Amino acid sequence: MNSAKLLDLMAEAKSVLEANWRGKSTIPSRYLYPHQWSWDSAFTAIGLSHLSQQNAQLELDTLFAAQWADGRIPHIVFNPEVSPREYFPSSDFWQSSSNGGPSSVETSGIVQPPIHARAALDVFRNARDLSLANEFLVGIYPKLVSWHDYLFRNRLEPGTKLVLTLHPWESGLDNSPLWDQALEGVTVMADVATSFTRRDLQHVDKHDRPSDDDYSKFVQIATDYRDSGYNDFTYVDSRQYAVVDPMFNALLAWSEEALGGIATAIGLDGTVHMERSRQLTENLVRHLFDEELEVFIAFDALTGDFSRKRTVSGLIPIVVSAMPMHIVRKVVETATGEHFSVASSKSWGVPSYDLLASDFNVRLYWRGPSWLNTSWLVWRGLYDHGITKIADTLLENLIELVARSGCYEYFDPITANPHGSKDFSWTAALAIDLLESKKASAGSE
Ligand code: 9WN
């Protein structure tokens, strides 16, 4: 791609982030998601770190200002100036401040993948003002520790010793086929099914979004959790959904490694974090690596069944540095083979689902399309494990995808057609990060 096109992409990505900046944090999209989302903010901070160290730090600090007393980082922090009619479920649904959430701000009660420590370390590494960066790390480190402690304390699944997601939204890959089996067991009460109006369909095509049936189940599970007062311990008996997700656990392991790096950077001992990461990695391999499918799969803690499907969630554990190289190689073979066709002319980005599955769908939410964040995670895994040729091909492919189709929420992996919301923050942020990496590697050649 010529340098004028690369500059155009950089300019477009910057303008998306500027337009979505709300003074202290960034919204994922002006059309669909008008509040602050947890893992979106982490990805956005990584992109912002190349543009403004202060804003990147503020993005994460704002999110962590909404941390609950028990350590959880909520998946949404609501902007009180936005009407509840703009997004469902709104703060009236979650009722966080009367159920253990902070009193200063309204939030949701569930969480999202723990990628924040990794984002904080990337922000620190890209910083120009080192004393400001150090102050930022010192401030956020105990909050990150308390966030991870919440997961280990409240969400540990006793059999696998991995952490549980209690809602498909907690995975960030809401509608992935990996959760289908677990969702089959969810009973929706009649009053819940009729209690809400979807707002998402006002903004995007219904063929791009989860079905009404799935949405009712999402609302039912969130209602059950809320009605327990978001108490992870008393909730155990009434749970209708409790799934061990490979990506969520891999990001926790990767972030524990990052916490180790942060601890060292601020003069503390990071051994405990490296040890936690090692244990999580060992448990991921032991319990969730499927030798036949050659990907990581999910475990349903309520039924004891495994969900044996090839999804992007099962490729992402290669981000963890401690992942044994023979496992990384097998996963990379799956990623580059016919099921995902990564880094080939046959697909754009990393498809969210097996291209050969009978229910693969090029446009349906997390059931086929490529997203920039999950593709970026696979790229980081390749790159950090020194699988440079494939990593570089994927990097070029991702840059060209966004340059061609724009900063959309997700893309058809076969045609590159854009889907979902336009001007999407993490697409813009991670495109910036990829462009900067390309520049840095060209500079070092
Ligand atoms: C529910 C904001 C979020 C992302 C998720 C993505 C989608 C919300 C929704 O949008 O989820 O949290 O309404 O569909 O699946 O990963 O964080 O961008």
Side-chain angles (χ1 to χ4, degrees):
M1 198 186 304
N2 66 36
S3 49
K5 263 190 151 180
L6 294 179
L7 285 176
D8 286 352
L9 173 56
M10 188 57 127
E12 183 194 339
K14 278 183 186 169
S15 78
V16 167
L17 291 187
E18 267 161 33
N20 292 349
W21 176 251
R22 289 292 171 275
K24 283 185 171 175
S25 64
T26 308
I27 54 172
S29 139
R30 304 194 292 290
Y31 312 98
L32 199 50
Y33 309 113
H35 304 284
Q36 183 177 27
W37 257 261
S38 166
W39 80 324
D40 296 63
S41 269
F43 291 119
T44 300
I46 292 171
L48 283 175
S49 70
H50 299 288
L51 308 176
S52 157
Q53 177 185 346
Q54 246 159 336
N55 287 2
Q57 294 178 184
L58 189 53
E59 180 80 43
L60 291 172
D61 282 338
T62 304
L63 180 67
F64 276 77
Q67 184 162 34
W68 288 34
D70 64 8
R72 84 183 74 191
I73 295 298
H75 105 295
I76 302 177
V77 181
F78 288 98
N79 178 346
E81 282 162 26
V82 171
S83 151
R85 282 197 301 277
E86 288 291 306
Y87 182 80
F88 176 83
S90 66
S91 55
D92 306 346
F93 171 88
W94 295 102
Q95 302 166 17
S96 62
S97 49
S98 45
N99 282 294
S103 54
S104 53
V105 66
E106 291 297 326
T107 75
S108 68
I110 58 171
V111 300
Q112 267 191 328
I115 194 192
H116 313 86
R118 183 51 60 176
L121 187 59
D122 275 17
V123 167
F124 173 75
R125 286 183 175 157
N126 293 335
R128 298 224 167 88
D129 182 334
L130 291 184
S131 104
L132 199 65
N134 200 61
E135 203 180 301
F136 161 70
L137 276 195
V138 169
I140 203 159
Y141 173 76
K143 298 177 186 169
L144 288 164
V145 173
S146 137
W147 162 217
H148 289 194
D149 282 351
Y150 162 78
L151 293 172
F152 287 112
R153 188 184 56 242
N154 289 35
R155 297 295 189 91
L156 206 67
E157 195 284 313
T160 57
K161 299 265 187 309
L162 293 165
V163 303
L164 282 167
T165 52
L166 298 180
H167 195 294
W169 283 333
E170 294 203 316
S171 72
L173 275 51
D174 316 352
N175 207 30
S176 168
L178 215 46
W179 328 133
D180 287 357
Q181 247 170 272
L183 282 171
E184 270 171 30
V186 175
T187 306
V188 179
M189 308 305 285
D191 59 332
V192 168
T194 53
S195 67
F196 66 95
T197 308
R198 290 180 66 168
R199 302 290 173 194
D200 54 330
L201 301 181
Q202 293 167 353
H203 303 281
V204 293
D205 193 313
K206 73 171 194 297
H207 297 104
D208 291 9
R209 293 283 299 172
S211 69
D212 283 343
D213 274 357
D214 285 335
Y215 228 81
S216 299
K217 290 186 176 178
F218 295 162
V219 177
Q220 180 69 55
I221 303 166
T223 305
D224 294 345
Y225 192 31
R226 180 199 65 201
D227 292 349
S228 78
Y230 303 112
N231 182 325
D232 294 308
F233 301 103
T234 58
Y235 181 51
V236 172
D237 293 337
S238 51
R239 287 191 312 213
Q240 294 204 67
Y241 184 95
V243 169
V244 180
D245 164 15
M247 184 189 78
F248 195 101
N249 281 279
L251 294 183
L252 182 57
W254 197 40
S255 283
E256 277 291 331
E257 286 176 351
L259 267 188
I262 293 175
T264 311
I266 58 175
L268 300 173
D269 182 3
T271 322
V272 61
H273 302 300
M274 301 318 271
E275 179 51 24
R276 271 180 164 183
S277 174
R278 197 195 56 72
Q279 271 170 14
L280 280 170
T281 311
E282 207 177 285
N283 294 334
L284 263 168
V285 174
R286 177 172 309 144
H287 299 290
L288 300 190
F289 187 68
D290 188 307
E291 288 285 352
E292 204 184 315
L293 299 182
E294 301 205 311
V295 289
F296 290 84
I297 55 173
F299 174 68
D300 183 338
L302 298 186
T303 61
D305 294 334
F306 288 93
S307 176
R308 300 188 62 240
K309 293 180 182 180
R310 292 186 184 88
T311 67
V312 69
S313 185
L315 305 178
I316 286 172
I318 66 166
V319 283
V320 186
S321 316
M323 187 58 68
M325 209 51 205
H326 70 279
I327 301 283
V328 173
R329 279 197 210 99
K330 285 184 185 177
V331 173
V332 172
E333 243 172 68
T334 306
T336 51
E338 57 184 351
H339 294 287
F340 294 92
S341 292
V342 169
S344 83
S345 56
K346 289 196 200 134
S347 81
W348 291 101
V350 182
S352 46
Y353 187 32
D354 185 349
L355 293 164
L356 303 182
S358 57
D359 53 345
F360 165 83
N361 185 315
V362 290
R363 64 183 300 182
L364 195 53
Y365 226 53
W366 299 109
R367 302 179 85 90
S370 293
W371 262 257
L372 214 69
N373 65 334
T374 42
S375 301
W376 179 89
L377 287 165
V378 171
W379 169 75
R380 278 290 288 256
L382 291 166
Y383 186 84
D384 290 351
H385 282 285
I387 307 171
T388 325
K389 220 165 151 206
I390 302 174
D392 286 349
T393 312
L394 179 58
L395 177 138
E396 294 295 337
N397 173 295
L398 290 172
I399 290 177
E400 193 170 339
L401 171 62
V402 188
R404 210 181 244 244
S405 305
C407 292
Y408 269 80
E409 189 178 359
Y410 52 100
F411 307 90
D412 178 327
I414 315 290
T415 62
N417 280 346
H419 287 286
S421 170
K422 66 177 177 177
D423 297 344
F424 195 69
S425 293
W426 80 40
T427 306
L430 298 175
I432 292 171
D433 190 64
L434 291 167
L435 286 167
E436 290 295 332
S437 288
K438 182 178 162 72
K439 209 160 77 187
S441 65
S444 66
E445 268 164 18

